[in-house]
Amino acid sequence: MSAECGEPGPEGPQGPSPRPGGLPGASGLGQCPPRTTPAPWSLPLWRAHAAAAVLCYVNLLNYMHWFIIPGVLLDVQKFFEISDSCAGLLQTVFIGCLLLSAPVFGYLGDRHSRKATLSIGIVLWSGAGLSSSFISPQYSWLFFLSRGVVGTGSASYSTIAPTILGDLFVRDQRTRMLAIFYIFIPVGSGLGYMLGSAVLQLTGNWRWALRVMPCLEAVALVLLIVLVPDPPRGAAEKQEEVAMGGPRSSWWEDVRYLGRNWSFVWSTLGVTAIAFVTGALGFWAPKFLFEARVVHGLQRPCLQEPCNSQDSLIFGALTVVTGIIGVVLGAEASRRYKKVNPRAEPLLCAGSLLIAAPCLYLALTLAPTAFLASYVLLALGELLLSCNWAVVADILLSVVVPRCRGTAEALQITVGHILGDASSPYLTGLVSSTLRAGRPDSYLQAFLSLQQSFLCCAFVIALGGGCFLLTALRLEWDQARARAPGTGTPDSEDTERRALLSGAGAATEDP
């Protein structure tokens, strides 16, 4: 049988032998870090809930900033006189800067004050958003740059905030809190569309939407400083933090550990597929629906700004409603199904994506002939996609040790955005512009070009479902590694399971 930390192993008193599979330790060789006894850390329940409420509020503002511009995209294109491909590049710059910054913030979040890092991020994206509203049309490149700075600030929050929730709550409480937290992704996205459209209708100038947000973000910054603590890593599980005593593993050793964690790898590829589709839909769907209405004779073409933004309002409301229902359904189904199947989370993700794929395909193909049916199928597709937000976060937190969670979040965000929503808006716009260049100049051909550039989304989301099926094959093994001695404190079920496994191992090893 394998030796525990501090006990002589098969190699003798010089140290225990590496564990099979290389359990994550400070050296990256599977050795346990030196044990320490940190001072107990606790937080009143009301304070933990207050901190969670503040984090949810800031998450709402974060995603509102993501989708204000897509909500007034037609007016932005008219103002700066840019094509579909350039408009898609606008979102690519935003996501590109976010993904380049995410590993930096993940590294800082695992080693320094998470609260200070979050505060810096809010100041960055708020200041850049406000300043971008004063850029004149001849400096469109400066507007692109400012969107990149907004993405950099957003990276800090998307990377670090879930890890704080993971250290404030555990088990079912964590699942519920993550569900509430991730509800604000679709809610914030939808409100971003709606805020941009509403401000445009009230003022006739889309830039005022960017000037309203800093007021809300100033309140968020004050609440964050006052109410949100910075708990020790692994505090909720009563786990010892490597940084509090023994040597801290390097960033590269953390990355190597995550690269060998197949549940993390496959779930990250599944998240990437979701990001690809939501990125393309989130940026182009309001314009797609607007042009579909023109084709059906329900809307006059937009020849000068301000354009009628009715579809942005409708799509925003649709995103809010389906997002709330989807996240709640996904989290609750996961919580109940886990009681009978420990692989429930990735299986639910796989099922929802494999059903969403034909819904999105039919929504796109039926748009020229059955506009109402297209809307219904699009709403169903969004609902199924939203079922995954809280569940994938819970998968990551359950298979990764606390000391690596910030880095894991950063890597998942980076890979998801590089291959997902950093490229999909630009690729969709590029394909649309290329198809449109060889066709007659009409709204029907413009609509068909955008429609056909969208069709790959249905196939990408089906591939994402396959990735989550592969995640299910490795989930239990990686969860056991994350809770193994030296990396955390398991619950009673895990203790019993490992005792049975170790007993089986002894039976095969002992003569």
Side-chain angles (χ1 to χ4, degrees), residues 74-75 200-201 286-314 371 375 442-444 447:
L74 286 167
D75 295 272
L200 176 64
Q201 290 182 351
K287 183 177 181 179
F288 174 79
L289 295 170
F290 179 90
E291 292 184 348
R293 291 170 65 86
V294 173
V295 169
H296 282 273
L298 303 174
Q299 176 71 51
R300 297 182 63 182
C302 176
L303 302 177
Q304 62 180 12
E305 60 171 316
C307 299
N308 189 316
S309 53
Q310 179 181 5
D311 291 288
S312 292
L313 284 170
I314 295 173
F371 188 60
Y375 247 122
S442 68
Y443 251 88
L444 175 61
F447 167 75

Side-chain angles (χ1 to χ4, degrees), residues 91-167:
Q91 190 76 345
T92 298
V93 169
F94 173 88
I95 301 296
C97 290
L98 185 149
L99 66 91
L100 289 174
S101 306
V104 177
F105 285 116
Y107 179 89
L108 294 174
D110 279 342
R111 291 157 176 82
H112 302 285
S113 170
R114 291 180 285 188
K115 189 171 179 178
T117 308
L118 290 179
S119 301
I120 293 170
I122 294 174
V123 172
L124 265 180
W125 91 57
S126 180
L130 177 62
S131 62
S132 68
S133 68
F134 297 100
I135 297 172
S136 58
Q138 60 266 33
Y139 295 106
S140 59
W141 63 270
L142 194 56
F143 187 75
F144 278 69
L145 180 62
S146 69
R147 292 300 294 170
V149 178
V150 173
T152 299
S154 296
S156 68
Y157 198 78
S158 301
T159 302
I160 296 173
T163 69
I164 295 180
L165 284 176
D167 288 332

Side-chain angles (χ1 to χ4, degrees), residues 154-226:
S154 296
S156 68
Y157 198 78
S158 301
T159 302
I160 296 173
T163 69
I164 295 180
L165 284 176
D167 288 332
L168 291 175
F169 303 97
V170 72
R171 298 188 186 84
D172 284 352
Q173 274 192 324
R174 177 194 288 166
T175 300
R176 292 191 186 98
M177 286 301 168
L178 286 172
I180 295 171
F181 181 79
Y182 282 101
I183 278 176
F184 289 94
I185 292 180
V187 171
S189 304
L191 290 179
Y193 294 119
M194 298 171 73
L195 176 65
S197 301
V199 171
L200 176 64
Q201 290 182 351
L202 290 173
T203 65
N205 188 338
W206 61 270
R207 290 178 291 179
W208 275 103
L210 297 173
R211 298 167 186 170
V212 171
M213 290 298 298
C215 301
L216 303 175
E217 287 154 353
V219 175
L221 182 60
V222 173
L223 292 175
L224 179 73
I225 293 171
V226 173

Side-chain angles (χ1 to χ4, degrees), residues 102-453:
V104 177
F105 285 116
Y107 179 89
L108 294 174
D110 279 342
R111 291 157 176 82
H112 302 285
S113 170
R114 291 180 285 188
K115 189 171 179 178
T117 308
L118 290 179
S119 301
I120 293 170
I122 294 174
V123 172
L124 265 180
W125 91 57
S126 180
L130 177 62
S131 62
S132 68
S133 68
F134 297 100
I135 297 172
S136 58
Q138 60 266 33
Y139 295 106
S140 59
W141 63 270
L142 194 56
F143 187 75
F144 278 69
L145 180 62
S146 69
R147 292 300 294 170
V149 178
V150 173
T152 299
S154 296
S156 68
Y157 198 78
S158 301
T159 302
I160 296 173
T163 69
I164 295 180
L165 284 176
D167 288 332
L168 291 175
F169 303 97
V170 72
R171 298 188 186 84
D172 284 352
Q173 274 192 324
R174 177 194 288 166
T175 300
R176 292 191 186 98
M177 286 301 168
L178 286 172
I180 295 171
F181 181 79
Y182 282 101
I183 278 176
F184 289 94
I185 292 180
V187 171
S189 304
L191 290 179
Y193 294 119
M194 298 171 73
L195 176 65
S197 301
V199 171
L200 176 64
Q201 290 182 351
L202 290 173
T203 65
N205 188 338
W206 61 270
R207 290 178 291 179
W208 275 103
L210 297 173
R211 298 167 186 170
V212 171
M213 290 298 298
C215 301
L216 303 175
E217 287 154 353
V219 175
L221 182 60
V222 173
L223 292 175
L224 179 73
I225 293 171
V226 173
L227 294 177
V228 177
D230 191 358
R233 279 76 172 171
E237 295 104 327
K238 305 295 188 293
Q239 293 185 335
E240 297 174 356
E241 186 177 2
V242 176
M244 299 174 64
R248 183 62 169 88
S249 60
S250 68
W251 181 82
W252 178 243
E253 288 171 333
D254 290 349
V255 172
R256 287 178 57 202
Y257 156 68
L258 293 170
R260 296 192 300 267
N261 188 324
W262 286 105
S263 294
F264 172 76
V265 171
W266 287 119
S267 64
T268 296
L269 292 176
V271 170
T272 300
I274 298 173
F276 186 95
V277 175
T278 56
L281 285 176
F283 194 78
W284 290 110
K287 183 177 181 179
F288 174 79
L289 295 170
F290 179 90
E291 292 184 348
R293 291 170 65 86
V294 173
V295 169
H296 282 273
L298 303 174
Q299 176 71 51
R300 297 182 63 182
C302 176
L303 302 177
Q304 62 180 12
E305 60 171 316
C307 299
N308 189 316
S309 53
Q310 179 181 5
D311 291 288
S312 292
L313 284 170
I314 295 173
F315 186 72
L318 202 65
T319 302
V320 170
V321 174
T322 58
I324 293 174
I325 297 174
V327 172
V328 172
L329 280 178
E332 187 62 19
S334 171
R335 188 181 70 83
R336 292 175 180 271
Y337 190 27
K338 275 192 295 187
K339 295 177 180 179
V340 296
N341 188 340
R343 301 177 180 180
E345 292 164 326
L347 291 176
L348 283 170
C349 291
S352 64
L353 296 187
L354 292 174
I355 298 172
C359 291
L360 291 176
Y361 183 84
L362 291 173
L364 295 171
T365 54
L366 291 176
T369 56
F371 188 60
L372 181 59
S374 177
Y375 247 122
V376 172
L377 288 167
L378 183 62
L380 182 57
E382 280 205 297
L383 176 69
L384 292 167
L385 289 175
S386 297
C387 289
N388 295 276
W389 290 119
V391 181
V392 295
D394 215 9
I395 291 174
L396 184 148
L397 293 173
S398 70
V399 300
V400 176
V401 293
R403 65 178 174 82
C404 291
R405 284 174 183 168
T407 300
E409 290 279 357
L411 286 179
Q412 190 168 91
I413 288 171
T414 300
V415 174
H417 288 318
I418 287 175
L419 302 177
D421 52 358
S423 56
S424 62
Y426 174 68
L427 290 175
T428 303
L430 181 62
V431 172
S432 176
S433 294
T434 303
L435 293 174
R436 189 172 180 178
R439 296 176 175 178
D441 187 12
S442 68
Y443 251 88
L444 175 61
Q445 295 303 323
F447 167 75
L448 292 176
S449 298
L450 188 57
Q451 177 205 41
Q452 290 162 10
S453 68

Side-chain angles (χ1 to χ4, degrees), residues 48-119:
H49 286 151
V54 173
L55 293 173
C56 289
Y57 172 61
V58 184
N59 200 37
L60 174 75
L61 300 181
N62 183 21
Y63 279 90
M64 285 177 69
H65 239 312
W66 281 47
F67 290 97
I68 282 179
I69 297 302
V72 291
L73 183 59
L74 286 167
D75 295 272
V76 173
Q77 286 185 272
K78 297 291 182 183
F79 183 79
F80 289 110
E81 298 180 353
I82 55 178
S83 64
D84 281 356
S85 59
C86 288
L89 186 61
L90 188 67
Q91 190 76 345
T92 298
V93 169
F94 173 88
I95 301 296
C97 290
L98 185 149
L99 66 91
L100 289 174
S101 306
V104 177
F105 285 116
Y107 179 89
L108 294 174
D110 279 342
R111 291 157 176 82
H112 302 285
S113 170
R114 291 180 285 188
K115 189 171 179 178
T117 308
L118 290 179
S119 301

